[in-house]
Amino acid sequence: MKNDCLFCAIAAGEIPSSKVYEDELCYAFFDIAPQAPVHFLVIPKEHIGSVAEVNGDNSPVVAHIFEVIAKVARELGLESYRVVSNVGEQAGQSVHHLHFHVLSGRDMTWPPG
Ligand code: AMP
């Protein structure tokens, strides 16, 4: 757990969140400022700063997160959804703990803005 990391504190239960799913490796919760009718985030419990910090040692948790995304989406009855991870300021990353946005429930444009 990294000091002063919002998502480490959420994963540890120190800051309240609206939980969607949890296991020993990852935590999923609804976004506080949803950008679609369904918008949740999936994060590893271990601190990884972003996709840019994924490597051979920590990539198993990323594979696991994608299994969790598929499972949770099935359970929520989502037939179509978008998975996004912003890396760095220009891409819009505001929280520096790896997270995957899962957005669903409305038409989406491509390319994203
Ligand atoms: P990003 O801007 O890609 O780093 O995504 C960070 C996301 O975290 C944004 O969509 C925020 O709305 C969301 N967020 C920030 N604080 C919280 C919180 N306390 N609970 C749930 N979602 C949050």
Side-chain angles (χ1 to χ4, degrees):
M1 180 166 171
K2 186 169 181 282
N3 277 347
D4 299 330
C5 172
L6 173 63
F7 285 0
C8 281
I10 285 178
E14 292 171 2
I15 290 176
S17 63
S18 183
K19 180 163 91 172
V20 180
Y21 174 88
E22 180 175 18
D23 63 27
E24 66 284 2
L25 295 176
C26 71
Y27 186 77
F29 55 108
F30 287 108
D31 198 290
I32 204 167
Q35 301 301 311
V38 178
H39 183 180
F40 63 90
L41 305 172
V42 188
I43 65 173
K45 287 191 169 175
E46 72 176 288
H47 184 84
I48 300 171
S50 76
V51 168
E53 292 182 16
V54 174
N55 57 41
D57 292 331
N58 61 26
S59 61
V61 73
V62 178
H64 177 71
I65 282 173
F66 274 82
E67 284 184 45
V68 166
I69 288 170
K71 172 184 155 67
V72 172
R74 256 192 319 273
E75 287 172 0
L76 293 177
L78 308 182
E79 288 178 3
S80 183
Y81 52 92
R82 183 171 289 177
V83 181
V84 177
S85 191
N86 298 319
V87 181
E89 201 178 325
Q90 191 175 32
Q93 183 178 11
S94 61
V95 178
H96 296 275
H97 179 125
L98 178 64
H99 51 284
F100 295 92
H101 297 259
V102 181
L103 301 129
S104 183
R106 64 165 169 81
D107 292 341
M108 300 203 188
T109 57
W110 190 263

